[in-house]
Amino acid sequence: MADKSLNRDTSALDPTTWDHRWGFHDTKLVVFGDNSVEMTGSRYNLCGYRMPYLIPFINNELDVTIDFSSPRPLTTDHKVTAAARNEGFLTALAGALRPDQRSDDDRERLLHSHGQTTTEEVSRVLYDNLDRCVDLVVWPESDEDCQALVTLAVEHDVVLIPFGGGTNVSSALLVPDAERRMVVSVDTRRMNRILSIDRANLTATVQAGVTGSRLEELLAKEGLTCGHEPDSSELSTLGGWIATNASGMKKNRYGNIEDLVENFTLITPAGTIEQEYATPRQSPGIQLQKALFGSEGNLGLITRAVIHVHALPAAKKYGSVIFADWATGVSFMEALNRTGVKPASIRLVDNLQFRLGQSLKAAPSGSKVVMSKVEQVFVTRIKGFDHHTMVAATIVYEGSDAEVAVQEKVVAQTARQFGGIQGGSGNGERGYMLTYAIAYLRDFLADYYIIGETYETTVPWNRIHDVCEAVDRVANSEHRRLGFPGRPFTSPRLTQMYHSGVCLYFTHGLYHRGIEGGDEKFAEMERNIRAAIMDAGGSISHHHGVGKLRRWVVDRVASPENVAAVKALKAAVDPQNVFAVGNNIFAAPRAAD
C-alpha cells in the first residue's frame, strides 16, 4: 500500500480549505441512497470507494435510526457583527502594510473569528451565529511586519489575536464578549518559509506561520524531516504548536514541541523575547522562554523558531497487533514502554474504535471475501477473540534498517507475551491515516444531528482504567439525565507513552435530533466528563491547552501564587493588554462557570 503520510508530494492536490468546517475542499463524506458512504477526492487512503458498513455501525452503536434525507438546516445568511473601527490605527496601518495584507471583508472576518471547538464554535457558525467577530484581518510576512503591528496596536489601543491554522479546539480564538476595542486577527500563514538550515548541527530556522504539511514538504526537498506530526499537521502551524504546547503522533522518536524547539522569537508590546543564542541545553538561571510554551496567544506574536531536523528515515514501515481486550492491550503498552525500545508511533484503540475502523472498509469481493472469512475464523474461533472486545495497536516504525528491525523484534516479542496477533502493515497504515480523516467524519455527521468531541488527558499508568471507567459512567448517566435519545459513543485510545503515564484521547458523540438546546446540553455534559477525568486522576489536557473552553479548571490546576506569577509576567510584557484574547487564567468567567 502506498505511503500516504505527510512526506508525500501534495503539490497536485487542491489546497483550498473549507469555510468553517475542517479540512480541504476536495474532501468530504457523501451518503448515497443505499446508505453507503464515500469520501471524495484522493487525499487519503479512505477516498474513492463505497463504505457500506459505516451507517449501520453508527445506527447500532448510538441505538438510533438516523434520517439521512433530512439534514440539519445550515445558516444561510451569517450575521457578521458590525466592525469596530479605530481610524487612527487604520490610517497608520495603511503606511505599514500593503493593501493585500489587510481585509475587513465579512467572510474573512468570520473565518478568523473561530476555531474548531464543536459546540462553541463550529456548531455556532454552521447552524447559528457567533456573538462577536474580529474587526480586521491582517497577514504579516516578516518579523518587521509583526513589530509594526504591535507598535501600532499599542499606540492606538487596538487588540491583536494571533491566528495560525484555525485548528484550535479550546475556543481560544473566540473574541471575548466584553471586548469593545477594535480587534485584529493576525494571520501568520504567509510567514511560511525556512529561513536557514544548519546541516552541521541539524537545526533549521523557520517562520512560525508554516503549516506542518508545508514544513515537511520543504524539508523533504533537502532530505530532512522535523517529525512533529499532530493530528492537525496539514493545517496547524509551528507557532500554534508552541502556543498550545503541542504533541505529535511520532513523539517517541522526535519528541514533543518543547523537545524539538531550541529557540523562538516572541514579539510583545514590551519588546522581543528570545534567547540570545540557541544551544542544545544551558543553565543560565531561570529561563523565561520555557514558560512561554503554552502561552495561548496571551503575550505576543511568535514569529520564528529554531527547530531540530533529522535526515529522512531510511526505513519506514507500518504494523498492527490485535489483542483480546482493552486491559490486555494496556498491559502490552506498559510492558513495551518499559523495554525502552519504542516505534516512532504506537497507539492502542479500544474495541469501539477498532470496529469503527472496520466499518470504513469497502465490501470485500472475489478472493478477498474468502480471505476475510478465513481471517475471522482464525481470530475468533482458533484464537478465541471476541469481535466485541478485541482491540488493536497501530504502529509506525521509522529509522535505519537496523533500528526498525530491532523495533519490530521487540514489539513482536512483547506482543506474544500478551497473546497478540499480528494484524499486518495494511491495517497499521489504515489505522494511522484514519487520524487525518476523523474530523471529516465529525463534520459529516454533524449535519445529521450527531455531535462529536474529543477529550485528551495525561493519566498515570495505575489510573488508566479508573479514568476510562469514569468517562464511560458519567457519559452514560449524563446522557440519561439530559434526555438524549439512544446511547452515547465513548471510546478511548492510548496515543503517547511516558515513564510515569500516558495520554488518553477520548472520542465522544451522541444523537440530539429533537432535543431542545442539544448543543448547550452537550457542552454541559462535556464539562462534567472533563471534571470526572480530573477526579479520577487525569489532567485537564495533554496537548490542547485550556483556552476559554476549560477556563473553569484554572483554580484546580494552578495555585493562587502560580496565577499571580503568570499575571505579573503578562503585566510586564503586555501592560496595556493588547493581546486580550483572554485565554487560560485570563479568561473571563461566564455565568455557567
Side-chain angles (χ1 to χ4, degrees):
M1 185 177 293
D3 179 10
K4 296 280 189 174
S5 74
L6 290 182
N7 291 328
R8 74 193 188 285
D9 181 10
T10 60
S11 58
L13 297 173
D14 182 1
T16 305
T17 54
W18 287 104
D19 284 2
H20 315 303
R21 297 180 188 270
W22 183 273
F24 297 95
H25 204 268
D26 58 11
T27 307
K28 65 178 180 179
L29 288 158
V30 294
V31 61
F32 295 91
D34 63 355
N35 271 359
S36 65
V37 175
E38 183 174 327
M39 179 173 275
T40 62
S42 59
R43 190 174 293 272
Y44 308 103
N45 58 6
L46 293 178
C47 294
Y49 64 88
R50 296 286 184 95
M51 307 174 194
Y53 309 121
L54 176 60
I55 288 177
F57 171 81
I58 292 170
N59 282 336
N60 181 69
E61 293 306 321
L62 295 181
D63 195 22
V64 295
T65 301
I66 302 166
D67 183 0
F68 284 94
S69 67
S70 180
R72 187 177 183 182
L74 294 169
T75 297
T76 56
D77 183 20
H78 289 290
K79 294 178 175 62
V80 182
T81 56
R85 293 179 60 85
N86 183 314
E87 297 300 339
F89 173 80
L90 291 169
T91 299
L93 187 66
L97 298 181
R98 302 187 310 271
D100 69 302
Q101 287 182 272
R102 60 188 190 273
S103 175
D104 61 1
D105 174 74
D106 282 355
R107 174 177 171 272
E108 287 292 352
R109 291 173 52 217
L110 187 61
L111 285 172
H112 287 79
S113 296
H114 68 88
Q116 287 292 316
T117 309
T118 298
T119 54
E120 289 201 353
E121 296 179 297
V122 178
S123 288
R124 291 288 303 278
V125 78
L126 288 179
Y127 310 113
D128 192 3
N129 283 289
L130 297 177
D131 294 331
R132 175 79 157 87
C133 297
V134 300
D135 304 308
L136 185 73
V137 181
V138 297
W139 290 270
E141 297 174 0
S142 64
D143 284 27
E144 292 73 22
D145 286 350
C146 291
Q147 183 61 70
L149 273 171
V150 173
T151 299
L152 293 177
V154 171
E155 181 180 345
H156 296 280
D157 197 22
V158 164
V159 173
L160 302 180
I161 296 182
F163 186 99
T167 61
N168 181 274
V169 289
S170 66
S171 299
L173 292 173
L174 289 178
V175 180
D177 295 340
E179 185 56 66
R180 294 295 174 262
R181 293 174 291 175
M182 183 179 184
V183 177
V184 179
S185 174
V186 184
D187 187 328
T188 62
R189 285 176 292 182
R190 292 188 189 177
M191 299 174 63
N192 62 2
R193 296 182 296 122
I194 295 177
L195 300 175
S196 64
I197 295 175
D198 181 346
R199 289 188 176 274
N201 298 304
L202 285 177
T203 64
T205 302
V206 185
Q207 288 185 305
V210 71
T211 62
S213 54
R214 176 171 168 80
L215 177 60
E216 289 300 330
E217 287 176 8
L218 292 174
L219 288 173
K221 293 176 182 178
E222 305 293 331
L224 300 169
T225 181
C226 166
H228 187 69
E229 205 164 293
D231 297 0
S232 60
S233 282
E234 296 168 298
L235 303 166
S236 57
T237 63
L238 172 58
W241 300 342
I242 296 169
T244 56
N245 205 29
S247 181
M249 291 184 283
K250 294 188 287 190
K251 182 274 302 179
N252 292 344
R253 183 167 183 83
Y254 302 103
N256 289 321
I257 190 66
E258 68 272 20
D259 303 310
L260 63 89
V261 170
E262 281 195 1
N263 196 4
F264 66 88
T265 300
L266 179 75
I267 296 178
T268 78
T272 299
I273 297 175
E274 61 185 352
Q275 295 176 171
E276 289 301 317
Y277 54 92
T279 60
R281 188 181 187 274
Q282 51 184 301
S283 182
I286 295 174
Q287 297 177 69
L288 175 61
Q289 191 164 66
K290 293 186 181 299
L292 300 180
F293 286 94
S295 55
E296 299 193 83
N298 288 303
L299 301 177
L301 294 174
I302 299 168
T303 61
R304 63 174 67 193
V306 178
I307 63 172
H308 296 166
V309 294
H310 308 262
L312 284 170
K316 180 171 184 175
K317 293 184 179 180
Y318 294 91
S320 61
V321 186
I322 301 170
F323 298 96
D325 52 44
W326 175 253
T328 304
V330 169
S331 295
F332 157 77
M333 296 289 277
E334 182 173 10
L336 180 66
N337 191 64
R338 301 303 184 207
T339 69
V341 180
K342 292 178 288 188
S345 173
I346 180 165
R347 297 179 298 168
L348 180 73
V349 299
D350 82 330
N351 179 258
L352 267 179
Q353 285 185 61
F354 172 79
R355 288 189 287 115
L356 170 61
Q358 298 299 303
S359 77
L360 296 172
K361 290 185 174 181
S365 59
S367 61
K368 292 183 179 180
V369 175
V370 176
M371 183 56 66
S372 178
K373 290 181 178 178
V374 169
E375 290 172 347
Q376 289 180 29
V377 168
F378 175 74
V379 172
T380 60
R381 295 186 185 177
I382 297 177
K383 296 295 291 186
F385 285 13
D386 186 336
H387 185 67
H388 284 82
T389 64
M390 67 177 69
V391 300
T394 59
I395 308 165
V396 181
Y397 301 101
E398 283 190 10
S400 66
D401 290 330
E403 286 178 307
V404 168
V406 169
Q407 293 166 13
E408 288 184 300
K409 181 179 179 180
V410 173
V411 167
Q413 289 175 338
T414 309
R416 281 196 293 272
Q417 297 173 26
F418 297 91
I421 303 172
Q422 295 296 320
S425 61
N427 285 325
E429 182 180 12
R430 187 180 190 83
Y432 189 76
M433 291 308 300
L434 176 60
T435 300
Y436 292 108
I438 200 71
Y440 293 97
L441 179 60
R442 177 202 69 171
D443 287 349
F444 164 67
L445 294 174
D447 280 341
Y448 300 99
Y449 298 91
I450 296 176
I451 305 177
E453 191 56 278
T454 58
Y455 319 126
E456 35 73 61
T457 179
T458 316
V459 181
W461 284 103
N462 66 341
R463 301 301 298 273
I464 291 173
H465 299 300
D466 295 336
V467 170
C468 291
E469 189 279 331
V471 169
D472 190 60
R473 170 174 45 80
V474 174
N476 280 281
S477 64
E478 288 291 281
H479 196 93
R480 293 189 296 269
R481 181 181 72 84
L482 294 169
F484 287 106
R487 58 175 173 259
F489 181 103
T490 54
S491 172
R493 63 180 183 266
L494 193 162
T495 60
Q496 277 105 336
M497 298 187 291
Y498 299 91
H499 178 78
S500 59
V502 303
C503 171
L504 288 179
Y505 204 106
F506 291 91
T507 299
H508 174 216
L510 55 79
Y511 187 60
H512 67 103
R513 184 163 197 161
I515 302 299
E516 185 175 352
D519 291 315
E520 292 77 12
K521 290 181 177 179
F522 182 85
E524 179 183 350
M525 181 190 300
E526 175 187 351
R527 173 168 168 163
N528 290 336
I529 290 174
R530 291 189 187 275
I533 288 172
M534 297 181 73
D535 291 342
S539 69
I540 187 56
S541 176
H542 172 259
H543 57 269
H544 285 163
V546 171
K548 301 176 188 66
L549 185 68
R550 294 178 274 281
R551 71 193 88 193
W552 54 274
V553 307
V554 170
D555 291 342
R556 293 191 62 168
V557 301
S559 69
E561 294 79 10
N562 184 307
V563 171
V566 175
K567 287 186 174 180
L569 171 61
K570 168 75 169 176
V573 302
D574 186 17
Q576 203 171 302
N577 199 21
V578 166
F579 290 90
V581 63
N583 289 323
N584 207 298
I585 69 171
F586 305 105
R590 300 172 303 180
D593 295 337

